[in-house]
């Protein structure tokens, strides 16, 4: 039989009432009576015909103020008439009003004085007893006891809805000799959804006599609009004949039901049954409703308290897990070492942990292939709540083989994203459920009568349930979420530690980097301790090794040099890799003689041959030495650098002590100053363009060009920026040079974009931190952009070196630049501060990973996962990742797999002249048209 028929029944608009009272409706706008129940004469002494169309005051006295208030208040209200109403037998009548469409409906009920009427304060004392409840079941037991005392019904029970909408009697109090229903379950079909929804709108309902004959309503021919009256809030509303028959089949003559809600959900009901007809007094009904309201309010808090107690019992287990996460080398090792605690946390018998490509299987689990299919079906998104099911095999018959060991699964996606997760499993549990009648005996349809009949048998029926595990509780889910937070926090800490290491340490050699050296030097300037010496080493012949044997051998040589330097110095000396093949040793508390001796020792250890991956390499070192007592106007690094160049000029493989006479270098700067001025005036600067490609599975696409500055020096030939930009910054020429670069790059980029507009090419321009600190930079950039109105600002991307990107002045300037519509990229990421927390607050759109950072990662297999996570973390800040320095196919494949968005480097293309860049743009434009 189609149970959907139950949902069609108009139970809220039956067109009739129960016979223990009468009903009138009043048109709200004019106060005229529009409807009257057929039994009005029995209750009020007036026939329906005599009152229809009459003003309400003539029938029950003045209630206009009450009717006016009814439109302002939700629900239903008791009424007080201006006259004392009694029925024909002299029994007092009580009025009760509620709104229904354009009408105000008025229930009229007799109030029977009786010895059974309970004291007004009884409900309050019952409610006060609820404070002793520790669980929802405790509360229901106390509510059942109180209702029994208030109403005097034969049986009072608490009914809770559970899985599939089925109900279970969880508390009961009944008169002696009455069969108990405690613990019995009743199928969801006994209470259709339409009835459950009604109990959410009107919490209290009663049936005085299950054998009553419904009393129809008569309407005034002109005042009745023909729309069925919604009697949801009527105490007299006639109930479904199917439900009345259901009650008679249960040998129940009268009932009083109170709906219990937990938020917006119908949690259950308090149900009172009586074996003989019984109409609840208005006071009894009011007290019952008050008890139900308080119970509903307390259900949520008690449920949360129960969850909190369960969590508290397992908090120690969570603490052990958190401690393991913080002390083990890897998170996978942490979970393996705390397998018992991981299972105990949610009372599971098996668990699968998938983290950063590693899979850990713990306890009793279904077969691996079955698990993978199950997770594919049940895996929620990475930011979703845990998903728990207790009937995996029943939901998915092709997973039947997992029933014994994994009927229940609780899947916790981890915030690290991807496929990372923890999945707990529970085995099948065989249970016996006792039903109040067979759940398969549904209502039946009688075509002859054209109506439905409810089931007639309520004999106890036992069912053995299999294929299900014990259900996952809210405490299980809450503890799983708490574990996810701890795992995310630990992963963030580990990532921060790795990034902090990148901030102060060179990723290739593990030595301190320039940032740490600068902090040490700054600390020396603020203390009055012993002096310091600094040795500046530059490797002679390293470029030849790198070019002839490859970068892998070159990197291996740098690592070996670093190790020899560390072994040759004192434990307190600081060994630094500045970058490339430049190293520094900072010594404190040593005299000049000892420093010179150290310089010679370092020269000797570097001069010894190196064996790298089966290849013999030979390099030497040019070493500059400076002491804090002989610096003049220079700092230690500058002085030692000048001395190192002097040593290199003398043939290398030697050390040179800084002396004031070496200030001839400064004279060269004067010459450079003159030359730079002429370069600006004589158009000696040119730009070359290195392509940047967007990485695509079906072929990389030209994204744009990075404009690179070259100086065509009339005497020294072509000079790269590292030869003159530092001097230009010192001498103040960086601002006019920067303006020229920006204007030239934008004009040329417009030409590139015109070739194929659909490529939407971007031009990348490096900007010095000194330029960003200049107050006129933004205004000048705006003026340049306005001079080329057809060039969109978003096609320009300004690059700023990472080590300066966190300066407040720089950050403010970048924010103003972005306000122009220009994009911002953080350049050389991985060589400076490397802080994701800084990245999140920087006004930037792209991050460009430095090539040296990539070379270390591709030589270290363990770093692949970290590099992929780092890409994901950058993406989480809504920024694009560009990898610089791609020099091999292997590196390109590596960054593509790691999730980089764009790439550039000599392997992809050398910097190009304008002509070659134009040709490349034409080629990619043709490819785009072919697609």
């Amino acid at each position: 039989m189609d149970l959907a028929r139950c949902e069609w029944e108009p139970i809220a608009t039956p067109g009739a009432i129960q016979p223990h009272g009468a009903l009138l409706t009043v048109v709200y706008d004019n106060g005229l009576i529009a409807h009257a129940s057929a039994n009005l004469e029995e209750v009020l002494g007036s026939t329906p015909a005599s009152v229809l169309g009459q003003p309400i005051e003539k029938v029950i006295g003045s209630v206009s103020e009450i009717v006016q208030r009814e439109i302002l208040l939700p629900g239903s209200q008791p009424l007080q008439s201006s006259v004392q109403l009694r029925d024909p037998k002299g029994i007092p009548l009580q009025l009760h009003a509620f709104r229904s469409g354009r009408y105000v409906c008025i229930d009229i009920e007799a109030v029977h004085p009786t010895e059974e009427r309970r004291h007004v304060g009884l409900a309050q004392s019952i409610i006060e007893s609820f404070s002793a409840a520790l669980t929802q079941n405790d509360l229901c037991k106390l509510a059942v006891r109180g209702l029994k005392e208030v109403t005097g019904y034969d049986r009072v029970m608490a009914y809770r809805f559970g899985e599939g909408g089925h109900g279970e009697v969880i508390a009961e109090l009944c008169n002696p000799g009455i069969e108990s229903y405690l613990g019995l379950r009743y199928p969801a079909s006994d209470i259709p959804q339409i009835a459950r929804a009604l109990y959410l709108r009107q919490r209290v309902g009663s049936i005085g006599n299950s054998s009553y004959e419904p009393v129809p309503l008569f309407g005034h021919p002109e005042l009745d609009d023909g729309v069925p009256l919604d009697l949801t809030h009527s105490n007299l509303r006639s109930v479904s004949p199917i439900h009345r028959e259901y009650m008679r089949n249960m040998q129940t003559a009268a009932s009083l039901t109170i709906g219990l809600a937990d938020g917006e959900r119908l949690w259950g009901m308090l149900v009172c049954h009586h074996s003989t007809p019984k109409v609840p007094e208005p006071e009894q009904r009011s007290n019952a409703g008050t008890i139900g309201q308080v119970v509903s309010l307390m259900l949520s808090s008690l449920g949360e308290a129960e969850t909190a107690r369960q969590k508290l019992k397992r908090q120690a287990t969570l603490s052990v897990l958190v401690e393991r996460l913080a002390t083990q080398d890897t998170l996978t090792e942490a979970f393996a070492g705390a397998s018992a605690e991981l299972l105990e946390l949610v009372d599971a018998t098996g668990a699968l942990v998938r983290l950063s490509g590693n899979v850990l299987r713990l306890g009793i689990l279904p077969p691996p292939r079955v698990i993978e299919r199950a997770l594919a079906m049940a895996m929620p998104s990475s930011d979703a709540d845990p998903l728990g099911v207790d009937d995996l095999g029943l939901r998915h018959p092709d997973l039947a083989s997992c029933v014994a060991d994994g009927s229940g699964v609780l899947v916790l996606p981890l915030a690290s994203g991807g496929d990372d997760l923890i999945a707990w499993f529970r085995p099948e549990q065989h249970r016996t459920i006792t039903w109040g009648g067979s759940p398969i005996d549904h209502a039946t349809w009688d075509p002859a009568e054209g109506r439905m009949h409810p089931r007639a048998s309520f004999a106890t029926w036992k069912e053995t349930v299999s294929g299900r595990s014990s259900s996952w509780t809210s405490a299980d889910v809450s503890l799983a979420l708490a574990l996810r937070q701890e795992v995310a926090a630990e992963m963030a800490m580990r990532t921060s530690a790795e990034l902090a290491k990148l901030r102060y340490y060179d990723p290739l050699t593990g030595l301190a980097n320039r940032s740490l050296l600068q902090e040490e030097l700054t600390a020396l300037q603020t203390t009055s301790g012993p002096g310091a010496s600094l040795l500046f080493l530059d490797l002679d012949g390293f470029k030849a090794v790198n070019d002839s044997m490859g970068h892998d051998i070159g990197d291996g040589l740098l690592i070996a040099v670093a190790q020899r330097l560390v072994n040759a110095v004192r434990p307190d000396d600081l060994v630094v890799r500045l970058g490339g093949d430049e190293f520094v040793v900072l010594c404190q508390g040593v005299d000049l003689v000892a420093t010179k001796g150290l310089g010679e020792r370092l020269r000797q250890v570097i001069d010894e041959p190196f064996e790298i991956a089966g290849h013999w390499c030979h390099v030497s070192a040019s070493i500059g030495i400076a002491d804090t007592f002989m610096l003049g106007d220079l700092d230690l690094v500058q002085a030692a650098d000048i001395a190192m160049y002097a040593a290199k000029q003398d043939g290398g493989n030697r050390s040179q002590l800084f002396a004031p006479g070496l200030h001839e270098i400064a004279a060269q700067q004067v010459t450079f100053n003159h030359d730079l001025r002429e370069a600006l005036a004589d158009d000696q600067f040119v730009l070359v363009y290195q392509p940047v490609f967007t990485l695509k599975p079906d072929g990389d696409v030209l994204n744009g060009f990075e404009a690179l500055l070259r100086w065509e020096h009339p005497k020294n030939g072509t000079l790269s920026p590292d030869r003159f930009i530092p001097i230009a910054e010192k001498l103040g020429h960086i601002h006019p040079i920067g303006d020229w670069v920006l204007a030239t790059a934008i004009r040329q980029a417009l030409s590139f974009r015109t070739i194929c507009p659909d490529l939407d090419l971007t031009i990348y321009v490096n900007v010095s931190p000194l330029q960003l600190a200049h107050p006129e930079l933004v205004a000048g950039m705006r003026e340049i952009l306005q001079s080329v109105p057809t060039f969109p600002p978003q096609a320009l991307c300004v690059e700023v070196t990472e080590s300066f990107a966190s300066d407040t002045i720089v950050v403010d300037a970048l924010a103003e630049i972005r306000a122009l519509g220009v994009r911002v990229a953080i350049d050389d990421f991985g060589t400076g501060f490397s802080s994701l927390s800084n990245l999140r607050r920087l006004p930037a759109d792209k991050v460009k990973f430095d090539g040296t950072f990539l070379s270390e990662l591709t030589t270290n297999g363990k770093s692949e996962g970290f590099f992929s996570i780092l890409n994901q973390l950058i993406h989480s800040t809504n920024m694009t990742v560009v990898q610089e320095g791609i020099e091999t196919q292997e590196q390109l494949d590596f960054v593509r797999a790691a999730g980089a968005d764009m790439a550039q480097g000599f392997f992809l293309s050398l910097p190009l002249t304008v002509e070659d860049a134009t040709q490349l743009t034409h080629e990619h434009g043709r490819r785009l048209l072919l697609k």
Side-chain angles (χ1 to χ4, degrees):
M1 204 214 84
D2 184 7
L3 294 177
R5 294 176 184 269
C6 299
E7 308 300 331
W8 303 342
E9 193 173 12
I11 62 174
T13 57
I17 62 171
Q18 299 182 51
H20 59 270
L23 183 137
L24 295 173
T25 73
V26 181
V27 179
Y28 177 75
D29 293 336
N30 56 29
L32 300 180
I33 297 175
H35 300 86
S37 60
N39 63 346
L40 187 66
E41 186 173 8
E42 301 172 18
V43 177
L44 203 58
S46 301
T47 65
S50 67
V51 301
L52 289 174
Q54 297 297 314
I56 187 65
E57 290 87 351
K58 289 187 177 181
V59 180
I60 59 174
S62 177
V63 292
S64 59
E65 292 183 4
I66 303 298
V67 171
Q68 179 64 32
R69 183 181 67 183
E70 177 58 30
I71 190 62
L72 302 176
L73 296 175
S76 54
Q77 302 291 327
L79 294 179
Q80 296 295 327
S81 173
S82 60
V83 298
Q84 182 65 45
L85 290 179
R86 294 181 178 272
D87 71 2
K89 299 178 182 179
I91 298 174
L93 298 174
Q94 177 167 298
L95 309 183
H96 168 264
F98 59 93
R99 187 72 183 267
S100 179
R102 63 189 289 255
Y103 306 107
V104 174
C105 302
I106 302 173
D107 288 337
I108 307 172
E109 295 182 82
V111 180
H112 299 280
T114 171
E115 296 179 359
E116 294 183 3
R117 293 189 63 187
R118 301 299 192 257
H119 190 273
V120 174
L122 179 58
Q124 183 62 37
S125 64
I126 291 170
I127 290 171
E128 290 174 355
S129 73
F130 293 169
S131 62
L134 296 178
T135 67
Q136 292 175 329
N137 277 14
D138 290 345
L139 178 63
C140 288
K141 290 177 182 178
L142 292 170
V144 164
R145 182 185 305 164
L147 271 179
K148 185 76 168 69
E149 188 174 358
V150 166
T151 64
Y153 279 69
D154 295 340
R155 181 201 309 276
V156 180
M157 53 188 171
Y159 190 81
R160 179 174 186 171
F161 296 119
E163 299 174 359
H166 302 313
E168 180 182 0
V169 179
I170 61 172
E172 182 188 52
L173 194 61
C174 50
N175 292 342
I178 295 180
E179 180 184 1
S180 174
Y181 293 164
L182 184 63
L184 295 183
R185 292 198 184 185
Y186 292 85
S189 58
D190 280 6
I191 306 177
Q193 287 298 325
I194 190 172
R196 300 181 192 221
L198 190 65
Y199 274 113
L200 281 173
R201 299 196 302 273
Q202 174 64 25
R203 300 290 174 81
V204 181
S206 64
I207 300 172
N209 186 345
S210 59
S211 298
Y212 76 83
E213 289 295 327
V215 177
L217 301 178
F218 297 144
H220 188 278
E222 296 178 2
L223 300 178
D224 182 358
D225 59 10
V227 177
L229 282 172
D230 185 350
L231 300 182
T232 294
H233 297 292
S234 173
N235 295 330
L236 301 173
R237 175 177 48 83
S238 185
V239 299
S240 163
I242 304 171
H243 183 61
R244 299 201 306 274
E245 184 178 353
Y246 179 89
M247 289 178 60
R248 294 194 297 271
N249 291 346
M250 290 188 73
Q251 308 301 312
T252 299
S255 68
L256 174 65
T257 305
I258 303 101
L260 301 177
D262 183 359
E264 300 297 320
R265 175 178 65 94
L266 188 64
W267 184 90
M269 299 186 297
L270 296 172
V271 182
C272 307
H273 282 179
H274 210 62
S275 57
T276 59
K278 181 178 178 65
V279 176
E281 293 292 329
E283 182 181 323
Q284 289 177 321
R285 194 162 48 221
S286 175
N287 287 341
T290 301
I291 290 172
Q293 287 178 344
V294 174
V295 170
S296 291
L297 289 173
M298 293 181 66
L299 282 173
S300 180
S301 60
L302 284 176
E304 292 174 359
E306 289 180 59
T307 299
R309 283 193 296 273
Q310 293 179 35
K311 286 180 60 178
L312 187 60
K313 290 180 181 179
R314 288 181 263 177
Q315 189 62 45
T317 302
L318 180 60
S319 298
V320 172
L321 272 171
V322 172
E323 181 181 355
R324 293 289 179 87
L325 292 177
T327 56
Q328 296 295 318
D329 289 341
T330 68
L331 295 183
T332 304
E333 291 174 357
F335 284 123
S339 59
E341 289 79 9
L342 183 63
L343 299 180
E344 182 182 341
L345 185 69
V346 295
D347 193 22
T349 54
L352 180 138
V353 180
R354 195 159 61 197
L355 194 60
S356 300
N358 298 312
V359 177
L360 183 65
R361 294 177 174 84
L362 306 170
I364 303 172
L365 292 171
R369 296 176 67 180
V370 177
I371 290 179
E372 291 305 318
R373 290 205 307 272
L375 294 179
M377 296 176 181
M379 180 65 178
S381 60
S382 60
D383 58 347
D385 287 340
L387 174 65
V389 297
D390 61 4
D391 57 351
L392 194 59
L394 298 179
R395 294 187 184 209
H396 305 286
D398 57 331
L399 299 177
S401 57
C402 77
V403 168
D405 297 326
S407 287
V409 60
L410 177 63
V411 183
L412 175 71
L414 296 177
S416 52
D419 293 333
D420 290 356
L421 59 81
I422 301 174
W424 289 276
F425 291 86
R426 286 177 178 172
E428 174 186 35
Q429 283 191 351
H430 296 280
R431 291 175 291 168
T432 298
I433 297 176
T434 304
W435 295 88
S438 171
I440 61 176
D441 291 340
H442 299 301
T444 58
W445 178 260
D446 187 339
E449 297 183 25
R451 56 159 291 184
M452 188 181 294
H453 291 278
R455 64 190 179 100
S457 173
F458 296 90
T460 299
W461 190 84
K462 294 185 181 296
E463 178 189 17
T464 299
V465 177
S466 59
R468 293 178 179 270
S469 70
S470 57
S471 298
W472 303 99
T473 66
S474 57
D476 296 327
V477 173
S478 180
L479 285 161
L481 285 172
L483 178 60
R484 177 163 72 183
Q485 291 176 347
E486 296 293 346
V487 171
E490 179 60 29
M491 293 184 74
M493 288 182 63
R494 289 172 183 251
T495 301
S496 296
E498 291 287 345
L499 292 176
K501 186 176 180 181
L502 289 176
R503 175 185 178 185
Y504 288 117
Y505 293 91
D506 173 54
L508 177 63
T509 63
L511 296 179
N513 63 12
R514 188 185 297 270
S515 297
L516 184 55
L517 173 64
Q518 190 57 51
E519 290 196 8
E520 291 290 332
L521 293 174
T522 301
L524 281 175
Q525 295 173 358
T526 58
T527 61
S528 57
S533 300
L534 187 139
L535 297 90
F536 196 117
L537 294 84
D538 184 272
L539 299 183
D540 308 319
F542 175 76
K543 185 176 185 301
V545 172
N546 214 34
D547 292 345
S548 62
M549 297 186 181
H551 292 291
D552 290 345
I553 299 298
D555 288 346
L557 177 58
L558 292 174
I559 294 170
V561 168
Q563 189 60 52
R564 287 192 185 180
L565 293 176
V566 171
N567 293 337
V569 302
R570 302 177 305 168
D572 293 337
D573 295 336
L574 180 65
V575 183
V576 178
R577 182 189 178 209
L578 291 183
D581 58 354
E582 294 181 336
F583 297 84
V584 160
V585 177
L586 178 64
C587 310
Q588 299 184 46
V590 295
D591 57 26
L592 190 56
V593 174
T595 304
K596 292 173 66 177
L598 175 60
E600 177 58 23
R601 187 162 68 250
L602 295 180
R603 187 197 66 78
Q604 292 177 6
V605 300
I606 300 302
D607 199 36
E608 292 291 327
F610 294 85
E611 184 180 8
I612 309 296
H615 298 270
W616 287 97
C617 308
H618 186 273
V619 292
S620 59
S622 297
I623 305 173
I625 303 173
D627 187 275
T628 52
F629 300 109
M630 57 175 65
L631 297 180
D633 296 331
L634 301 175
D635 62 32
L636 267 176
V637 176
Q638 289 175 323
D641 191 14
I642 291 173
M644 182 274 294
Y645 273 107
K648 192 173 285 288
Q649 291 295 321
D650 287 344
N653 194 20
R654 64 186 299 271
S655 61
Q656 172 67 55
L657 185 66
F658 174 78
L662 295 176
H663 264 222
E664 294 176 0
I665 299 295
Q668 296 178 8
Q669 292 184 354
V670 173
T671 302
F672 249 98
N673 185 26
H674 176 268
D675 290 351
L676 282 170
R677 291 181 186 275
E678 287 194 344
L680 284 166
D682 297 343
D683 293 329
Q684 295 175 11
F685 292 118
V686 297
L687 293 181
V688 293
Y689 300 89
Q690 184 170 36
V692 179
F693 296 94
T694 299
L695 301 179
K696 297 283 189 180
D698 56 346
D700 300 336
V701 178
L702 182 64
N703 170 265
F705 297 93
E706 180 177 358
L708 301 174
L709 181 62
R710 299 290 185 265
W711 182 5
E712 299 294 345
H713 195 282
K715 295 180 180 179
N716 301 325
T718 302
L719 301 180
S720 59
D722 59 325
R723 294 282 304 276
F724 60 88
I725 288 297
I727 299 175
E729 290 179 332
K730 290 179 182 179
L731 300 178
H733 297 300
I734 191 65
H735 304 297
I737 292 175
D739 292 343
W740 179 87
V741 169
L742 188 62
T744 304
I746 288 177
R747 287 194 297 269
Q748 185 57 56
L750 181 62
S751 175
F752 292 150
R753 289 174 59 86
T754 304
I755 295 171
C756 182
D758 289 341
L759 284 174
D760 193 21
L761 297 179
T762 297
I763 189 72
Y764 296 82
V765 178
N766 291 280
V767 177
S768 163
L770 291 179
Q771 289 178 264
L772 291 169
H774 196 280
E776 299 301 322
L777 172 70
V778 177
M781 187 176 296
R782 181 186 297 109
E783 184 177 342
I784 292 173
L785 289 170
Q786 289 174 348
S787 70
V788 191
T790 56
F791 182 83
Q794 65 271 20
L796 170 63
C797 184
V798 168
E799 297 187 16
V800 59
T801 304
E802 175 211 7
S803 57
F804 294 97
S806 59
D807 291 351
T808 302
I809 295 176
V810 171
V811 170
D812 293 343
L814 292 178
E816 292 184 51
I817 289 172
R818 288 187 88 221
L820 299 176
V822 175
R823 301 288 185 255
V824 172
I826 305 303
D827 198 13
D828 296 336
F829 183 81
T831 61
F833 191 80
S834 301
S835 169
L836 286 179
S837 62
N838 275 353
L839 280 181
R840 281 197 298 270
R841 70 180 183 84
L842 288 178
D845 307 279
K846 301 181 181 182
V847 175
K848 300 188 77 173
F849 281 11
D850 187 75
T852 58
F853 187 33
L854 170 64
S855 65
E856 191 276 334
L857 289 171
T858 55
T859 61
N860 183 353
K862 293 184 178 179
S863 299
E864 293 182 9
F866 171 74
F867 194 52
S868 178
I869 291 173
L870 194 57
N871 273 266
Q872 295 176 28
L873 291 174
I874 298 296
H875 288 149
S876 73
T877 64
N878 294 322
M879 285 192 273
T880 302
V881 174
V882 183
Q883 178 60 61
E884 299 178 303
I886 301 293
E887 298 182 352
T888 65
Q889 181 67 49
E890 179 186 6
Q891 290 178 343
L892 180 60
D893 294 340
F894 177 87
V895 300
R896 192 191 302 275
D901 303 290
M902 303 178 195
Q904 67 182 107
F906 289 173
F907 177 74
L908 295 168
S909 175
L910 295 172
L912 304 175
T913 63
V914 170
E915 293 75 13
D916 290 340
T918 300
Q919 182 179 349
L920 181 66
T921 304
H922 277 293
E923 291 175 1
H924 277 263
R926 287 192 293 270
R927 292 181 193 175
L928 187 62
L929 290 175
L930 290 176
K931 289 184 179 181

